[in-house]
């Protein structure tokens, strides 16, 4: 059982302040026509933002876990490849990686795929057929996998070796030791940083607007450029992101408490 934080019993005055601001903005959306019009315009972008975040984060977790296991592997080749990937990706700004994937890696992938199709006598595809949304998802996946790999590695290494040796003495296979002994305990350790990275990805998903993906931020820019009501438009954009991130943060805090009580 993990020790409780001394701040867990504090009255959440920060939440009261956030709710007050949020309720004021919601009231503006309900009563002011300009706010309502902006929210209706952004509604489609909300689902794009959620979709990009969930898909990219899920793929990043899978890739990050694979990289973490490679770092803990007995093979020096796997360890060096994993370390090379992590250090390179962590050193590249996400917006640069987005542009690189969209305009360098994606055309290269299409060219490689067309070569395979040519060998099979099939019709090639065009670079424009590779949607910008999926280019953005790939870029966010590659970027966040490097951060999540370190989170997973730290969690896996936090497990006492004696438990692993005891499981091995009981005849459990490597997969059974990982599934039944190591990962359930590591999850308690890595859950808070995983949650933080999930919230961070919600915010970083706004960077996909540089590719023209119609998320909340992109639709906000287009709307503000058309109606010149920057104050109202970006208030609504901020409200949307704040609603998503605060809801996620509260849900994660509740889940963490349940994990501590087990």
């Amino acid at each position: 059982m993990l020790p409780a934080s001394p701040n867990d019993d504090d009255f959440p005055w920060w939440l009261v302040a956030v709710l007050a601001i949020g309720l004021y903005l919601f009231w503006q959306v309900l009563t002011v026509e300009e706010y309502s019009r902006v929210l209706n315009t952004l509604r489609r972008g909300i689902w794009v933002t959620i979709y990009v975040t969930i898909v990219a984060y899920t793929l990043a977790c899978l890739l990050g876990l694979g990289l973490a296991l490679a770092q803990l592997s007995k093979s020096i080749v796997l360890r060096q490849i994993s370390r090379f990937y992590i250090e390179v990706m962590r050193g590249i700004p996400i917006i640069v990686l987005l542009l690189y994937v969209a305009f360098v890696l994606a055309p290269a992938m299409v060219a490689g795929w067309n070569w395979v199709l040519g060998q099979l006598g099939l019709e090639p595809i065009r670079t424009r057929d590779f949607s910008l949304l999926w280019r953005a998802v790939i870029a966010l996946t590659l970027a966040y996998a490097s951060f999540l790999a370190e989170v997973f590695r730290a969690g896996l290494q936090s497990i006492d070796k004696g438990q692993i040796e005891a499981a091995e003495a009981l005849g459990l296979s490597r997969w059974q030791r990982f599934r039944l002994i190591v990962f359930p305990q590591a999850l308690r350790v890595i859950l808070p940083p995983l949650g933080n990275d999930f919230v961070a990805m919600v915010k970083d998903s706004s960077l996909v607007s540089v590719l023209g993906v119609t998320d909340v931020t992109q639709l906000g820019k287009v709307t503000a450029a058309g109606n010149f009501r920057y104050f109202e438009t970006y208030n609504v954009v901020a409200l949307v992101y704040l609603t998503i991130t605060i809801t996620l943060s509260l849900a994660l805090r509740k889940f963490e408490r349940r994990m501590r009580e087990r």
Side-chain angles (χ1 to χ4, degrees), residues 2-10 253 256-257 260:
L2 295 177
S5 168
N7 298 323
D8 284 350
D9 296 328
D10 290 351
R253 280 172 176 262
E256 288 173 24
R257 289 196 185 99
R260 280 201 302 264

Side-chain angles (χ1 to χ4, degrees), residues 101-103 106-107 127-128 130-139 211:
V101 169
F103 302 115
T127 302
R128 69 179 64 178
F130 197 158
S131 73
L132 290 172
L133 186 145
W134 274 102
R135 301 185 201 194
V137 167
I138 291 173
L211 303 181

Side-chain angles (χ1 to χ4, degrees), residues 2-254:
L2 295 177
S5 168
N7 298 323
D8 284 350
D9 296 328
D10 290 351
F11 186 81
W13 290 108
W14 66 271
L15 183 58
V16 174
V18 169
L19 286 176
I21 296 172
L23 288 174
Y24 170 76
L25 292 177
F26 272 120
W27 176 253
Q28 292 292 95
V29 169
L30 293 175
T31 58
V32 179
E33 183 179 357
E34 192 60 44
Y35 277 96
S36 300
R37 190 180 299 116
V38 171
L39 182 60
N40 287 331
T41 304
L42 300 182
R43 190 168 295 163
R44 180 166 56 94
I46 295 174
W47 295 111
V48 173
T49 294
I50 294 173
Y51 177 81
V52 168
T53 301
I54 292 176
V55 174
Y57 189 78
T58 301
L59 295 175
C61 281
L62 295 175
L63 180 56
L65 180 58
L67 290 167
L69 294 175
Q71 284 193 85
L72 302 176
S73 171
K74 296 179 180 179
S75 170
I76 187 173
V77 175
L78 290 178
R79 293 199 303 270
Q80 291 300 315
I81 291 175
S82 175
R83 177 51 55 186
F84 173 82
Y85 177 93
I86 291 170
E87 295 301 334
V88 170
M89 289 299 173
R90 287 198 306 182
I92 302 176
I94 294 179
I95 192 168
V96 175
L97 188 59
L98 276 164
L99 296 172
Y100 188 89
V101 169
F103 302 115
V104 179
L105 183 59
M109 292 171 66
V110 170
W113 183 248
N114 283 339
W115 181 84
V116 174
L117 293 178
Q119 300 301 311
L120 300 175
L122 300 176
E123 194 72 21
I125 62 174
R126 297 174 299 178
T127 302
R128 69 179 64 178
D129 295 328
F130 197 158
S131 73
L132 290 172
L133 186 145
W134 274 102
R135 301 185 201 194
V137 167
I138 291 173
L140 289 174
T141 298
L142 295 177
Y144 267 81
S146 61
F147 300 108
L148 294 175
E150 291 295 86
V151 173
F152 282 117
R153 179 191 58 77
L156 294 174
Q157 287 185 319
S158 69
I159 306 304
D160 183 43
K161 290 185 178 180
Q163 297 190 45
I164 301 174
E165 293 171 354
E168 188 175 359
L170 291 173
L172 297 181
S173 66
R174 180 176 296 182
W175 166 245
Q176 288 175 322
R177 295 196 299 270
F178 176 79
R179 183 171 61 88
L180 301 175
I181 306 298
V182 177
F183 191 72
Q185 297 184 75
L187 184 60
R188 296 186 180 186
V189 178
I190 66 179
L191 186 60
L194 284 181
N196 287 338
D197 282 335
F198 189 39
V199 173
M201 183 174 278
V202 173
K203 297 185 293 181
D204 283 342
S205 68
S206 63
L207 295 174
V208 306
S209 63
V210 302
L211 303 181
V213 176
T214 54
D215 71 325
V216 172
T217 302
Q218 175 65 10
L219 290 180
K221 290 193 296 185
V222 172
T223 302
N227 61 13
F228 299 103
R229 304 297 291 268
Y230 294 97
F231 180 78
E232 292 86 351
T233 300
Y234 286 113
N235 270 346
V236 176
V237 170
L239 176 63
V240 169
Y241 280 110
L242 191 61
T243 301
I244 296 174
T245 54
I246 292 296
T247 302
L248 282 174
S249 296
L250 293 176
L252 288 168
R253 280 172 176 262
K254 186 174 182 179

